[in-house]
PDB file of all heavy atoms in Angstrom:
ATOM      1  N   THR A1251     -40.556   9.766 103.579  1.00 90.00           N
ATOM      2  CA  THR A1251     -40.284  10.174 102.214  1.00 90.00           C
ATOM      3  C   THR A1251     -40.150   8.953 101.323  1.00 90.00           C
ATOM      4  O   THR A1251     -39.624   7.922 101.751  1.00 90.00           O
ATOM      5  CB  THR A1251     -38.969  10.979 102.153  1.00 90.00           C
ATOM      6  OG1 THR A1251     -39.061  12.086 103.047  1.00 90.00           O
ATOM      7  CG2 THR A1251     -38.675  11.480 100.769  1.00 90.00           C
ATOM      8  N   MET A1252     -40.615   9.064 100.079  1.00 91.00           N
ATOM      9  CA  MET A1252     -40.446   7.999  99.091  1.00 91.00           C
ATOM     10  C   MET A1252     -39.610   8.530  97.939  1.00 91.00           C
ATOM     11  O   MET A1252     -39.822   9.665  97.495  1.00 91.00           O
ATOM     12  CB  MET A1252     -41.791   7.540  98.541  1.00 91.00           C
ATOM     13  CG  MET A1252     -42.681   6.835  99.516  1.00 91.00           C
ATOM     14  SD  MET A1252     -42.172   5.153  99.891  1.00 91.00           S
ATOM     15  CE  MET A1252     -42.413   4.329  98.345  1.00 91.00           C
ATOM     16  N   THR A1253     -38.671   7.736  97.466  1.00 91.00           N
ATOM     17  CA  THR A1253     -37.920   8.060  96.260  1.00 91.00           C
ATOM     18  C   THR A1253     -37.997   6.858  95.331  1.00 91.00           C
ATOM     19  O   THR A1253     -38.231   5.730  95.774  1.00 91.00           O
ATOM     20  CB  THR A1253     -36.447   8.403  96.565  1.00 91.00           C
ATOM     21  OG1 THR A1253     -35.842   7.321  97.267  1.00 91.00           O
ATOM     22  CG2 THR A1253     -36.338   9.665  97.389  1.00 91.00           C
ATOM     23  N   TRP A1291     -38.129   6.128 103.196  1.00 95.00           N
ATOM     24  CA  TRP A1291     -37.193   6.690 104.166  1.00 95.00           C
ATOM     25  C   TRP A1291     -37.929   7.130 105.414  1.00 95.00           C
ATOM     26  O   TRP A1291     -39.022   7.669 105.343  1.00 95.00           O
ATOM     27  CB  TRP A1291     -36.473   7.898 103.566  1.00 95.00           C
ATOM     28  CG  TRP A1291     -35.728   7.608 102.310  1.00 95.00           C
ATOM     29  CD1 TRP A1291     -36.230   7.641 101.041  1.00 95.00           C
ATOM     30  CD2 TRP A1291     -34.365   7.236 102.177  1.00 95.00           C
ATOM     31  NE1 TRP A1291     -35.253   7.323 100.138  1.00 95.00           N
ATOM     32  CE2 TRP A1291     -34.090   7.068 100.804  1.00 95.00           C
ATOM     33  CE3 TRP A1291     -33.330   7.034 103.093  1.00 95.00           C
ATOM     34  CZ2 TRP A1291     -32.831   6.706 100.320  1.00 95.00           C
ATOM     35  CZ3 TRP A1291     -32.082   6.673 102.601  1.00 95.00           C
ATOM     36  CH2 TRP A1291     -31.843   6.509 101.248  1.00 95.00           C
ATOM     37  N   GLY A1292     -37.298   6.952 106.561  1.00 93.00           N
ATOM     38  CA  GLY A1292     -37.819   7.437 107.831  1.00 93.00           C
ATOM     39  C   GLY A1292     -37.172   8.760 108.172  1.00 93.00           C
ATOM     40  O   GLY A1292     -36.636   9.462 107.312  1.00 93.00           O
ATOM     41  N   ALA A1293     -37.206   9.080 109.454  1.00 89.00           N
ATOM     42  CA  ALA A1293     -36.576  10.306 109.924  1.00 89.00           C
ATOM     43  C   ALA A1293     -35.069  10.188 109.749  1.00 89.00           C
ATOM     44  O   ALA A1293     -34.490   9.133 109.919  1.00 89.00           O
ATOM     45  CB  ALA A1293     -36.926  10.544 111.383  1.00 89.00           C
ATOM     46  N   GLY A1294     -34.441  11.263 109.404  1.00 86.00           N
ATOM     47  CA  GLY A1294     -32.996  11.262 109.222  1.00 86.00           C
ATOM     48  C   GLY A1294     -32.637  11.643 107.800  1.00 86.00           C
ATOM     49  O   GLY A1294     -33.471  12.097 107.010  1.00 86.00           O
ATOM     50  N   GLU A1295     -31.381  11.430 107.467  1.00 86.00           N
ATOM     51  CA  GLU A1295     -30.851  11.836 106.172  1.00 86.00           C
ATOM     52  C   GLU A1295     -31.372  10.942 105.051  1.00 86.00           C
ATOM     53  O   GLU A1295     -31.336   9.717 105.139  1.00 86.00           O
ATOM     54  CB  GLU A1295     -29.321  11.764 106.202  1.00 86.00           C
ATOM     55  CG  GLU A1295     -28.676  12.148 104.895  1.00 86.00           C
ATOM     56  CD  GLU A1295     -27.171  11.943 104.908  1.00 86.00           C
ATOM     57  OE1 GLU A1295     -26.642  11.395 105.885  1.00 86.00           O
ATOM     58  OE2 GLU A1295     -26.555  12.316 103.912  1.00 86.00           O
ATOM     59  N   VAL A1296     -31.855  11.559 103.991  1.00 91.00           N
ATOM     60  CA  VAL A1296     -32.252  10.852 102.775  1.00 91.00           C
ATOM     61  C   VAL A1296     -31.075  10.965 101.810  1.00 91.00           C
ATOM     62  O   VAL A1296     -30.839  12.019 101.226  1.00 91.00           O
ATOM     63  CB  VAL A1296     -33.535  11.456 102.161  1.00 91.00           C
ATOM     64  CG1 VAL A1296     -33.867  10.798 100.840  1.00 91.00           C
ATOM     65  CG2 VAL A1296     -34.691  11.328 103.138  1.00 91.00           C
ATOM     66  N   ASP A1297     -30.306   9.895 101.675  1.00 91.00           N
ATOM     67  CA  ASP A1297     -29.096   9.910 100.854  1.00 91.00           C
ATOM     68  C   ASP A1297     -29.367   9.211  99.526  1.00 91.00           C
ATOM     69  O   ASP A1297     -28.963   8.075  99.300  1.00 91.00           O
ATOM     70  CB  ASP A1297     -27.953   9.231 101.614  1.00 91.00           C
ATOM     71  CG  ASP A1297     -26.599   9.506 101.000  1.00 91.00           C
ATOM     72  OD1 ASP A1297     -26.553  10.014  99.855  1.00 91.00           O
ATOM     73  OD2 ASP A1297     -25.588   9.198 101.654  1.00 91.00           O
ATOM     74  N   GLU A1298     -30.065   9.917  98.636  1.00 91.00           N
ATOM     75  CA  GLU A1298     -30.417   9.360  97.333  1.00 91.00           C
ATOM     76  C   GLU A1298     -29.179   9.031  96.508  1.00 91.00           C
ATOM     77  O   GLU A1298     -29.167   8.035  95.788  1.00 91.00           O
ATOM     78  CB  GLU A1298     -31.292  10.331  96.555  1.00 91.00           C
ATOM     79  CG  GLU A1298     -32.687  10.465  97.089  1.00 91.00           C
ATOM     80  CD  GLU A1298     -33.540  11.354  96.209  1.00 91.00           C
ATOM     81  OE1 GLU A1298     -33.511  11.182  94.979  1.00 91.00           O
ATOM     82  OE2 GLU A1298     -34.232  12.218  96.768  1.00 91.00           O
ATOM     83  N   ALA A1299     -28.153   9.844  96.606  1.00 92.00           N
ATOM     84  CA  ALA A1299     -26.947   9.627  95.811  1.00 92.00           C
ATOM     85  C   ALA A1299     -26.269   8.303  96.188  1.00 92.00           C
ATOM     86  O   ALA A1299     -25.848   7.544  95.314  1.00 92.00           O
ATOM     87  CB  ALA A1299     -25.982  10.788  95.988  1.00 92.00           C
ATOM     88  N   LEU A1343     -26.969   3.526 105.105  1.00 94.00           N
ATOM     89  CA  LEU A1343     -28.251   4.178 104.855  1.00 94.00           C
ATOM     90  C   LEU A1343     -29.206   3.860 106.000  1.00 94.00           C
ATOM     91  O   LEU A1343     -30.195   3.151 105.847  1.00 94.00           O
ATOM     92  CB  LEU A1343     -28.823   3.725 103.507  1.00 94.00           C
ATOM     93  CG  LEU A1343     -27.977   4.111 102.299  1.00 94.00           C
ATOM     94  CD1 LEU A1343     -28.480   3.439 101.044  1.00 94.00           C
ATOM     95  CD2 LEU A1343     -27.962   5.619 102.132  1.00 94.00           C
ATOM     96  N   SER A1345     -31.420   5.583 107.647  1.00 94.00           N
ATOM     97  CA  SER A1345     -32.798   6.066 107.653  1.00 94.00           C
ATOM     98  C   SER A1345     -33.677   5.354 106.620  1.00 94.00           C
ATOM     99  O   SER A1345     -34.876   5.622 106.536  1.00 94.00           O
ATOM    100  CB  SER A1345     -32.853   7.575 107.431  1.00 94.00           C
ATOM    101  OG  SER A1345     -32.362   7.907 106.156  1.00 94.00           O
TER     102      SER A1345
END
Side-chain angles (χ1 to χ4, degrees):
T1251 304
M1252 293 285 294
T1253 56
W1291 302 87
E1295 179 185 6
V1296 175
D1297 194 347
E1298 289 185 46
L1343 297 171
S1345 64

